[in-house]
Amino acid sequence: MATPLRPPGGIEFEAWLVARESALQRTAHLLTGDVHTAQDLVQTTLAKLYLRWDHVRNADDVDAYARKSLVNEFRSAWRRPVRRVEQVVAAVPDRPAPDTPAYDGSRDAVWRIVTTLPPKQRAVIVLRFYEQLTEAEIADLMGISLGTVKSQSSRAIATLRASLPNHPELSGEEAGR
Amino acid sequence: MTVEDLLTRTFSEVTETTDYPSTPTATVVARARAIRGARRRRVALVAAAAVVAVAGVSAAVSLQHDHDSPPQPAGPLGDLPQGAAPQVDYIDGDTFVSNLHLRIYEVDGQAMVEDMGSTNGSFHNGTRLHGAHLLHPGDRIQVGYTVLEAQ
């Protein structure tokens, strides 16, 4: 019971952390819609990876393993009832300043709508259009059916299209889709 | 431009214009320690419940996980040692625990543990339980994800 907490692959974990943490943080930011919540999510995921590093380091694709852990952690976080409380609090602190100046109007509008989507839809479109995973890969990663991936994705896209009727860059062909 | 293209562009622009502070390894280790501590406390709590059950003379322990159904006593009273009133404990929130999983009882001053034909089995010091076994202090019984320690 009293085994000391030591890094099984100490150097290796640190090297991986330095190289890949920002990728996890970017995905977590898009999943949660908020930098602070994302940081918390990433840290919990990293801690759990650290505890299992002996196993994780032998995985075929450590990055894919980490991404799956992150999404699973996100999924269990949104299921927890306390999440609602946490989210309300998380929305109150200052948004990071760097966001503000570089944002142009259209991106801000799209991003705002994305953050209001249900978590499952958001997860699917982030994995699809940011991580560039295939629908089959997303189904496997999230443990849901291919049909659910398609329906969640098309719902999210329908919501966006309906919310941006006059977006200057959305071409007319959209109407026929 | 399609909505899909717009999403791809928005996602990359949002992430490219945000600064993400890196997490020091020490922070990861501290959080890992907290998570492991919380897991151990959970096991210790369940173990404490088992200790109470084993220490209570002629105790029978039933373990069940179904949140929706009310707790059920462990088997027919006739199965219990003579004259014993059943004491029933429960493990909640574990998918691999059967409604009637195992019982711990006393025969001639010796604590015994017996698997009641559970679906996923019980493990006594790492070996799958078949029938009744003597239970010694320090023995570990695993039921689903939960480890009970006899004292």
Side-chain angles (χ1 to χ4, degrees), chain A residues 25-123:
Chain A
Q25 285 185 329
R26 286 194 291 268
T27 305
H29 180 198
L30 297 177
L31 288 174
T32 60
D34 165 73
V35 176
H36 301 289
T37 317
Q39 203 177 358
D40 192 51
L41 179 68
V42 167
Q43 288 184 5
T44 305
T45 306
L46 290 174
K48 289 185 178 176
L49 289 173
Y50 179 87
L51 287 172
R52 282 180 61 77
W53 192 250
D54 258 350
H55 172 75
V56 177
R57 66 195 299 190
N58 295 322
D60 290 340
D61 184 345
V62 175
D63 290 347
Y65 190 106
R67 182 167 55 208
K68 186 167 185 167
S69 304
L70 181 81
V71 174
N72 280 339
E73 195 58 37
F74 173 61
R75 279 154 60 81
S76 39
W78 96 53
R79 286 201 190 109
R80 252 172 248 145
V82 69
R83 175 184 63 91
R84 290 185 191 90
V85 180
E86 285 176 347
Q87 274 207 335
V88 171
V89 175
V92 177
D94 294 332
R95 282 302 184 98
D99 278 4
T100 329
Y103 267 41
D104 68 6
S106 66
R107 186 216 310 168
D108 204 15
V110 175
W111 177 233
R112 233 189 352 257
I113 298 163
V114 168
T115 58
T116 61
L117 291 173
K120 201 169 178 179
Q121 288 183 25
R122 213 159 59 224

Side-chain angles (χ1 to χ4, degrees), chain A residues 152-166:
Chain A
Q152 294 290 308
S153 171
S154 67
R155 261 178 230 163
I157 288 169
T159 305
L160 275 155
R161 193 173 289 139
S163 311
L164 300 165
N166 301 316

Side-chain angles (χ1 to χ4, degrees), chain B residues 11 48 61 63 76 79-80 83 88 104 110 113 117 119 124 130 132 139 147:
Chain B
F11 288 154
V61 180
L63 309 164
D79 284 358
L80 295 168
V88 181
I104 297 171
Q110 281 286 355
V113 59
T119 312
H124 181 215
H130 295 286
D139 282 2
V147 179

Side-chain angles (χ1 to χ4, degrees), chain B residues 8-130:
Chain B
T8 301
R9 197 185 67 182
T10 304
F11 288 154
S12 52
E13 285 179 1
V14 165
T15 50
E16 277 162 19
T17 52
T18 307
D19 281 334
Y20 300 104
S22 59
T23 309
T25 310
T27 307
V28 177
V29 175
R31 194 170 278 221
R33 190 171 281 134
I35 290 171
R36 204 173 69 165
R39 285 179 186 159
R40 282 194 175 160
R41 276 193 295 281
R42 211 158 49 229
V43 171
L45 273 177
V46 178
V51 169
V52 169
V54 175
V57 179
S58 308
V61 180
S62 156
L63 309 164
Q64 73 142 31
H65 76 282
D66 193 345
H67 291 272
D68 299 327
S69 62
Q72 299 294 322
L77 289 180
D79 284 358
L80 295 168
Q82 283 188 344
Q87 294 181 11
V88 181
D89 281 289
Y90 301 94
I91 295 179
D92 263 349
D94 194 326
T95 319
F96 297 104
V97 179
S98 300
N99 280 345
L100 193 57
H101 201 112
L102 63 68
R103 63 180 187 139
I104 297 171
Y105 55 97
E106 194 193 81
V107 176
D108 297 334
Q110 281 286 355
M112 305 285 289
V113 59
E114 182 181 357
D115 189 280
M116 305 294 282
S118 61
T119 312
N120 292 294
S122 314
F123 296 84
H124 181 215
N125 292 333
T127 326
R128 183 152 185 168
L129 254 181
H130 295 286

